[in-house]
């Protein structure tokens, strides 16, 4: 019988240094885009893709994430009493959205180590990984697109999209061999190649379907780029023993992992919200006119 993907890992143990001091006492995953914390967008994508169980890899100072996906009895009673039923629905939605489990990464040793920390939860099944710095809006949820390819191939599928030449050093980059529609066979996966050395402009975008054999390589705990245990290095080793494909997914990807991307995402999402868009546009028009004079 074909195995289908039911579990997902969301690493959320990063220090959020790009947003200090905001993230001194608050997880970066709780920073809101309009009215929802970024991590909820990721959880919603996983659930919309058919994932049933999610494990969030947390670390020191990340308690607010657990509270967010938990019941909030007093708040709920208060909203109920005041007849604020639309808000009550929003508050309850985030506590009922999925089976969410937590594990703590004891040391910040990198993405590969965070995924490895969740190995006991995965057992011998293919699974998904979603990174919180990338939010994707798409007609078919990004992860679902990768799951569809996995169901056809039974192989690991890594989500990629084109980036500008001068951005390749910020990402894992693939060296493609052949292309079949949006699906690529890959010779090499390289983590953050030095400027000017990238084998392509196809960058890994924080969505992965991986077979459990990845843990054989994560077990080695090999240190890579930036002195961290890199998931990309383990993926390349996996690629040497079984097929690992890259899939150029359809959809718009928002980088909420740095300040400019975060502000741009906030603006675009606010403009998509009918209750905010016209006032925000008018405000932006005024701002731009004032900047020009
Ligand atoms: C991580 C991965 C990298 C990927 C990127 C996508 O890097 O290691 O391969 O391209 O996420 O956002 P990070 O941004 O955590 O340094």
């Amino acid at each position: 019988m074909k195995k289908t993907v039911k579990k997902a890992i969301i690493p959320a143990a990063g220090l959020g240094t790009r947003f200090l001091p905001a993230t001194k006492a608050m997880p970066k995953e709780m920073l809101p885009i309009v009215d929802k914390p970024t991590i909820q967008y990721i959880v919603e994508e996983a659930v919309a893709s058919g994932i049933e169980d999610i494990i969030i890899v947390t670390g020191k100072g990340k308690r607010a994430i657990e509270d967010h996906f938990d019941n909030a009895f007093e708040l709920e009673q208060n909203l109920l009493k005041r007849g604020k039923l639309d808000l009550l629905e929003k508050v309850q939605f985030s506590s009922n959205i999925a089976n969410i489990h937590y594990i703590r990464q004891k040391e910040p040793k990198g993405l590969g180590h965070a995924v490895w920390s969740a190995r006991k939860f995965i057992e011998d099944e293919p699974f998904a990984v979603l990174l919180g710095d990338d939010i994707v809006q798409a007609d078919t949820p990004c992860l679902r697109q990768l799951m569809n390819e996995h169901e056809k191939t039974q192989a690991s599928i890594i989500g990629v999209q084109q980036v500008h030449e001068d951005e390749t050093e910020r990402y894992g980059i693939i060296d493609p061999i052949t292309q079949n529609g949006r699906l690529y066979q890959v010779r090499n996966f390289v983590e953050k190649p030095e400027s000017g050395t990238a084998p392509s402009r196809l960058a890994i975008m924080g969505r992965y379907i991986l077979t459990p054999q990845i843990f054989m390589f994560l077990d080695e705990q090999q240190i890579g780029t930036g002195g961290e245990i890199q998931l990309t290095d383990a993926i390349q080793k996996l690629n040497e023993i079984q097929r690992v494909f890259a899939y150029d997914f359809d959809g718009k990807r928002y980088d909420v992992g740095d300040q400019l991307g975060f502000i741009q995402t906030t603006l675009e999402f606010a403009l998509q919200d009918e209750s905010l868009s016209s006032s925000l546009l008018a405000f932006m028009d005024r701002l731009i006119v004032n900047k020009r004079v």
Side-chain angles (χ1 to χ4, degrees):
M1 209 182 75
K2 278 189 182 177
K3 282 187 184 165
T4 149
V5 178
K6 293 283 175 213
K7 294 180 181 175
I9 301 174
I10 302 180
L15 297 175
T17 39
R18 288 183 197 146
F19 291 95
L20 281 170
T23 48
K24 186 178 170 195
M26 175 181 149
K28 69 167 179 173
E29 295 78 9
M30 289 303 295
L31 292 172
I33 301 294
V34 186
D35 59 356
K36 251 193 273 182
T38 56
I39 193 163
Q40 187 172 331
Y41 290 92
I42 309 298
V43 169
E44 286 181 10
E45 182 190 320
V47 172
S49 302
I51 293 294
E52 292 173 358
D53 283 283
I54 294 172
I55 187 152
I56 300 182
V57 183
T58 67
K60 212 170 173 333
K62 300 282 184 168
R63 274 285 303 281
I65 298 177
E66 294 180 45
D67 290 341
H68 179 71
F69 291 110
D70 197 358
N71 292 333
F73 184 73
E74 280 174 26
L75 174 63
E76 288 171 36
Q77 288 302 309
N78 183 301
L79 293 172
L80 189 64
K81 257 191 230 149
R82 294 196 291 150
K84 303 222 177 250
L85 299 184
D86 51 337
L87 286 179
L88 178 65
E89 198 183 319
K90 285 187 181 175
V91 165
Q92 288 178 333
F93 180 78
S94 60
S95 35
N96 298 328
I97 186 169
N99 299 321
I100 304 187
H101 316 262
Y102 300 91
I103 189 161
R104 273 171 83 119
Q105 184 186 13
K106 296 197 186 80
E107 296 159 89
K109 287 189 182 171
L111 178 60
H113 184 259
V115 171
W116 178 81
S117 304
R119 67 199 176 286
K120 293 269 161 51
F121 166 82
I122 297 301
E123 298 166 332
D124 196 23
E125 302 164 34
F127 63 98
V129 177
L130 300 98
L131 304 189
D133 285 349
D134 304 296
I135 294 179
V136 182
Q137 282 189 330
D139 292 338
T140 302
C142 174
L143 188 67
R144 183 68 244 172
Q145 296 177 43
L146 305 193
M147 285 160 76
N148 290 344
E149 296 307 310
H150 171 76
E151 281 164 22
K152 287 184 223 155
T153 58
Q154 297 294 292
S156 297
I157 313 282
I158 314 301
V160 295
Q161 275 196 339
Q162 292 266 0
V163 294
H164 290 293
E165 191 92 55
D166 56 3
E167 291 177 325
T168 49
E169 60 188 330
R170 290 173 40 201
Y171 296 96
I173 301 288
I174 67 160
D175 180 4
I177 310 171
T178 56
Q179 180 180 2
N180 181 3
R182 290 176 168 273
L183 197 66
Y184 291 86
Q185 275 197 334
V186 180
R187 184 177 301 113
N188 221 336
F189 293 83
V190 197
E191 181 65 12
K192 302 194 177 82
E194 272 176 39
S195 171
T197 68
S200 79
R201 293 198 287 121
L202 287 165
I204 299 174
M205 285 305 178
R207 297 294 184 275
Y208 312 77
I209 304 292
L210 297 168
T211 58
Q213 287 74 34
I214 192 78
F215 291 115
M216 293 183 343
F217 303 108
L218 290 175
D219 276 341
E220 294 173 5
Q221 311 239 340
Q222 190 200 319
I223 309 290
T225 311
E228 297 189 339
I229 299 170
Q230 296 292 351
L231 182 58
T232 306
D233 294 343
I235 290 172
Q236 174 50 25
K237 288 192 173 162
L238 183 65
N239 188 35
E240 286 161 18
I241 61 155
Q242 57 177 228
R243 294 176 310 167
V244 177
F245 293 101
Y247 186 75
D248 182 2
F249 60 82
D250 181 37
K252 177 145 193 208
R253 172 249 177 190
Y254 295 89
D255 177 7
V256 296
D258 83 355
Q259 289 189 14
L260 183 62
F262 187 88
I263 293 163
Q264 288 167 337
T265 310
T266 302
L267 283 177
E268 278 207 46
F269 279 42
L271 288 172
Q272 290 170 14
D273 183 328
E274 276 177 19
S275 68
L276 296 170
S277 62
S278 53
S279 323
L280 180 59
L281 261 184
F283 170 73
M284 285 161 70
D285 271 346
R286 286 199 303 276
L287 262 188
I288 291 164
V289 170
N290 286 342
K291 281 264 173 216
R292 288 212 179 109
V293 288

